[in-house]
Every structure is written in structure tokens, then in C-alpha cells.
Amino acid sequence: EEPQKKKFLLKFSGENYTEFEPRRMRFHRQDFSLEILNTSREDGQLYEYSVSKGPEEEVWQIQLEVFEPVADLSIRILHWELSNGSCSLALHCASERGDEVSYSWDSRGNGTRGICSGNGSFLNVSYSLRSAGFGCVCTARNPVSSRDVAFDSSQCGSEQ
């Protein structure tokens, strides 16, 4: 059976330490943290931190996850219908990039509570044209970022 190998990023002994990848990592001696510079997806892996005290060794394992931030958020009208002074819209909110993105909708402005509330990237909205002028805000978030984009309901239809 092949022996398991470990790749060391840093070794600390007494008052001295050696960084094995100084261009990729930065060790902060004041709080014993290790910073990964220019993080990439390949950095998402299992890391081990160990401290030797005489004949004993304490070991912690840390799983690092790397997420791409939410970017380039937009709202599209998938379907619209004008009937009896009412407008019905099917909206879709999407981010061009980002990992593990979740979406939520809310109203922007007063007097429109509930019209724009929802979870998920799709939202169906129906409103009277007399109450037009409210806004819906889509928020896309993941563990490292969030973005908002607004939809103005001032007109019903494909002109938007």
C-alpha cells in the first residue's frame, strides 16, 4: 500500500517558522492565522493544523470551501398579460455567475407589501394598473456575497 503524503504550507518551531509557499500564503504571527492569497477553486480542500506538545500532538482538520461571488444580476420578463385593467407578469431573476446562489424577492417602496414577496428565482406578480409605480427587488446571495436588482412596474408589457 502506498504511504499517504502531506504537503506542508508552514512549519513553526519555537520562535522560528518556515513558509513553504510564501507567494501563495501569508502567515500572521500575531494571531497564528494563515491567509491564502489569490484564492482559487483548487484551494478548496481539507487542511490540517497540528500542535506538538512533548509526546502528544493535537490535530484539527478544516475543510475550506471556495465560492465564486454573485455577479451580473438581472431580471427578465418571461410572460406578460394585460387584462381588465390588471397586469400579470412572470419574472425571472438570475445571476450569470456565482456558487450556491439563493434568491428572494421583496417590495421597494410603501403600500405594496406582499405583491413582490417570495423565495426562488421566479416571481409571478399581478397588480391593478391604477396601483402601478411600485418596485420589486430581487436579492441573490451566497455565503460570500449578495447583490440586489430592482424591477420597476411603471409600465406593463414587453416595452420594459
Side-chain angles (χ1 to χ4, degrees), residues 52-126:
S52 296
K53 295 179 180 178
E56 291 185 347
E57 182 179 50
E58 294 177 352
V59 179
W60 293 268
Q61 290 190 332
I62 302 158
Q63 179 65 49
L64 179 66
E65 294 182 53
V66 178
F67 295 94
E68 182 175 12
V70 175
D72 302 325
L73 192 60
S74 63
I75 297 175
R76 284 185 33 228
I77 299 173
L78 300 178
H79 177 77
W80 67 276
E81 187 175 317
L82 182 59
S83 175
N84 298 328
S86 235
C87 183
S88 295
L89 297 170
L91 304 175
H92 181 246
C93 182
S95 171
E96 285 185 22
R97 291 185 314 283
D99 295 319
E100 294 188 25
V101 179
S102 64
Y103 298 89
S104 62
W105 295 83
D106 207 350
S107 297
R108 180 183 67 189
N110 298 331
T112 58
R113 294 184 187 249
I115 292 178
C116 298
S117 64
N119 288 313
S121 60
F122 296 95
L123 180 70
N124 292 314
V125 181
S126 285

Side-chain angles (χ1 to χ4, degrees), residues 8-155:
F8 285 92
L9 302 176
L10 176 88
K11 277 204 172 193
F12 193 94
S13 178
E15 293 296 313
N16 302 318
Y17 66 91
T18 304
E19 290 181 84
F20 291 99
E21 295 188 39
R23 289 184 177 89
R24 276 196 67 230
M25 312 281 172
R26 184 178 301 138
F27 176 61
H28 300 280
R29 192 176 183 143
Q30 64 275 16
D31 62 1
F32 271 76
S33 64
L34 188 64
E35 178 184 1
I36 300 174
L37 306 172
N38 300 319
T39 309
S40 69
R41 290 199 186 278
E42 291 76 36
D43 294 318
Q45 58 184 313
L46 186 66
Y47 290 86
E48 191 173 273
Y49 174 80
S50 64
V51 177
S52 296
K53 295 179 180 178
E56 291 185 347
E57 182 179 50
E58 294 177 352
V59 179
W60 293 268
Q61 290 190 332
I62 302 158
Q63 179 65 49
L64 179 66
E65 294 182 53
V66 178
F67 295 94
E68 182 175 12
V70 175
D72 302 325
L73 192 60
S74 63
I75 297 175
R76 284 185 33 228
I77 299 173
L78 300 178
H79 177 77
W80 67 276
E81 187 175 317
L82 182 59
S83 175
N84 298 328
S86 235
C87 183
S88 295
L89 297 170
L91 304 175
H92 181 246
C93 182
S95 171
E96 285 185 22
R97 291 185 314 283
D99 295 319
E100 294 188 25
V101 179
S102 64
Y103 298 89
S104 62
W105 295 83
D106 207 350
S107 297
R108 180 183 67 189
N110 298 331
T112 58
R113 294 184 187 249
I115 292 178
C116 298
S117 64
N119 288 313
S121 60
F122 296 95
L123 180 70
N124 292 314
V125 181
S126 285
Y127 59 94
S128 167
L129 290 177
R130 285 175 277 148
S131 68
F134 66 90
C136 293
V137 176
C138 172
T139 301
R141 61 176 41 96
N142 70 4
V144 296
S145 65
S146 78
R147 289 235 178 162
D148 294 335
V149 65
F151 173 81
D152 185 358
S153 66
S154 61
Q155 299 179 56

